[in-house]
C-alpha cells in the first residue's frame, strides 16, 4: 500500500519518526510521500526520507497557512530545492480560507507560482483546498497552457464538488481517514463518482485518524483501514483497491 500524503517528519513525531516509518512498513505500507509544509521543516523531512530511501519520497512547496511576511523569499528558497532529483512533487500548496481569508490574494499568487513550477519541472502538484474550492479553481483556470498532473489532497466533499472540479481539470483525489467517519456520508457517496482509477490513499498524518483511532495522532500505518473503507464503499475487494491505488500513485510520482 501507498500513503501519498503523510507528515511523519513533523514535531508530533519527535523522538519516534523512524519508528513511525517502520510501523507503517510492518503494516504493509511500502511507500510514503512526504509533502512539504514550509522551509522551516524541510531539513527534518529530507533527513527522514534519506533514512528510508526505498520506502519514502519527499516534495517541495509551501502550505497556504505558512505564507508569512517573508513568503516571497521563502518561495525562492523552495525553488532552489527543485534542483534536487529526489523531489517527486510540488506541494502541498493551494488555498485555505478556514481560519483566515485576509491574505487570499497572497495565497492565490503563491499557488499560481507553484502550479507553474509543476509544469516547468514536469512534476505533479499536490493541492490543499480547504473552504476555497472556488478560489482554487480560479487559479487553476487562469493558468495558461497545459496543466500538470494534480491531486486534490484530503478530499472530503461530495459529488457536486467532484463535478465542479472536473469542469476545470481532471485530477486525482486523495482519500483519507475522513471516509471512515460516521458523518462523512457525502464523501462516501462521491467515491463512486470519482472512480477507483482516480483515487489515491493518504493519511495526512498526524491529522484525521480513521475510526477507531479518531481523535488520536494519525500514522501511516493506518492506511489499511482507509483502503478497506474505500473498497467497502466501491463494493470491490481490498486487494483490488490496493492494487489500483498503488498503480495510480506509482504513475503520479514515478516510482
Amino acid at each position: 500500500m501507498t500513503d501519498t500524503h503523510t507528515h511523519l517528519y513533523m514535531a508530533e513525531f519527535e523522538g519516534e519518526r523512524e519508528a513511525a516509518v517502520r510501523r507503517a512498513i510492518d503494516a504493509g505500507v511500502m511507500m510514503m510521500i512526504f509533502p512539504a509544509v514550509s522551509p522551516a521543516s524541510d531539513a527534518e523531512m529530507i533527513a527522514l526520507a534519506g533514512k528510508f530511501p526505498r520506502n519514502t519520497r519527499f516534495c517541495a512547496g509551501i502550505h497556504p497557512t505558512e505564507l508569512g511576511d517573508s513568503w516571497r523569499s521563502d518561495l525562492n528558497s523552495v525553488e532552489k530545492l527543485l534542483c534536487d532529483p529526489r523531489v517527486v512533487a510540488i506541494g502541498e500548496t493551494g488555498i485555505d480560507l478556514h481560519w483566515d481569508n485576509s491574505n487570499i490574494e497572497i495565497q492565490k499568487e503563491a499557488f499560481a507560482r507553484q502550479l507553474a513550477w509543476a509544469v516547468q519541472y514536469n512534476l505533479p502538484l499536490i493541492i490543499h483546498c480547504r473552504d476555497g474550492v472556488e478560489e482554487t479553481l480560479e487559479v487553476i483556470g487562469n493558468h495558461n497552457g497545459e496543466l500538470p498532473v494534480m491531486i486534490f489532497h484530503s478530499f472530503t466533499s461530495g459529488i457536486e464538488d467532484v463535478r465542479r472540479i472536473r469542469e476545470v481539470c481532471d485530477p486525482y483525489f486523495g482519500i483519507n481517514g475522513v471516509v471512515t467517519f460516521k458523518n462523512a456520508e457525502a464523501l462516501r457517496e462521491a467515491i463512486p463518482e470519482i472512480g477507483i482509477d482516480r483515487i489515491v490513499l493518504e493519511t495526512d498524518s498526524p491529522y484525521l485518524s480513521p475510526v477507531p483511532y479518531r481523535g488520536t495522532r494519525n500514522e501511516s500505518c493506518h492506511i489499511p483501514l482507509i483502503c478497506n473503507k474505500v473498497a467497502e464503499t466501491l463494493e470491490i475487494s481490498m486487494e483490488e483497491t490496493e492494487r489500483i491505488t498503488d498503480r495510480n500513485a506509482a504513475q503520479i510520482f514515478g516510482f
Side-chain angles (χ1 to χ4, degrees), residues 4-99:
T4 61
H5 199 108
T6 179
H7 301 283
L8 297 180
Y9 60 87
M10 295 181 82
E12 285 86 347
F13 294 96
E14 181 71 37
E16 55 175 315
R17 294 183 176 99
E18 294 179 39
V21 173
R22 292 192 183 99
R23 283 193 289 271
I25 295 170
D26 290 344
V29 185
M30 304 311 294
M31 180 60 70
M32 287 155 267
I33 306 296
F34 297 157
V37 174
S38 73
S41 58
D42 281 350
E44 289 86 354
M45 176 184 69
I46 294 169
L48 184 59
K51 293 175 180 176
F52 297 91
R54 295 181 59 184
N55 303 100
T56 65
R57 301 290 188 272
F58 66 86
C59 311
I62 300 183
H63 191 286
T65 64
E66 298 299 313
L67 295 167
D69 293 338
S70 61
W71 67 275
R72 291 185 188 277
S73 60
D74 287 344
L75 280 173
N76 291 336
S77 297
V78 170
E79 187 169 17
K80 293 176 183 176
L81 185 58
L82 298 180
C83 297
D84 191 322
R86 295 173 296 172
V87 171
V88 296
I90 306 294
E92 61 186 287
T93 178
I95 303 294
D96 191 317
L97 304 180
H98 184 72
W99 302 111

Side-chain angles (χ1 to χ4, degrees), residues 177-182 208-215 222 225-226:
V178 173
V179 75
T180 69
F181 294 179
K182 184 177 180 180
L208 301 175
S209 283
V211 174
Y213 301 104
R214 187 176 183 182
H222 293 154
L225 295 168
I226 299 164

Side-chain angles (χ1 to χ4, degrees), residues 116-192:
W117 288 344
V119 176
Q120 179 183 348
Y121 291 92
N122 193 28
L123 291 169
L125 184 71
I126 300 172
I127 297 173
H128 173 102
C129 176
R130 190 176 190 192
D131 295 345
V133 172
E134 181 177 341
E135 293 79 5
T136 299
L137 294 179
E138 176 189 340
V139 172
I140 296 171
N142 286 339
H143 176 76
N144 292 319
E146 187 176 350
L147 290 168
V149 175
M150 295 181 286
I151 299 174
F152 267 71
H153 131 74
S154 191
F155 184 78
T156 58
S157 192
I159 292 173
E160 182 179 344
D161 276 348
V162 174
R163 293 174 179 171
R164 286 176 66 193
I165 290 167
R166 283 179 166 164
E167 289 176 358
V168 178
C169 56
D170 186 22
Y172 291 85
F173 293 82
I175 305 301
N176 57 32
V178 173
V179 75
T180 69
F181 294 179
K182 184 177 180 180
N183 62 351
E185 190 59 37
L187 172 58
R188 287 187 289 275
E189 290 174 355
I191 295 292

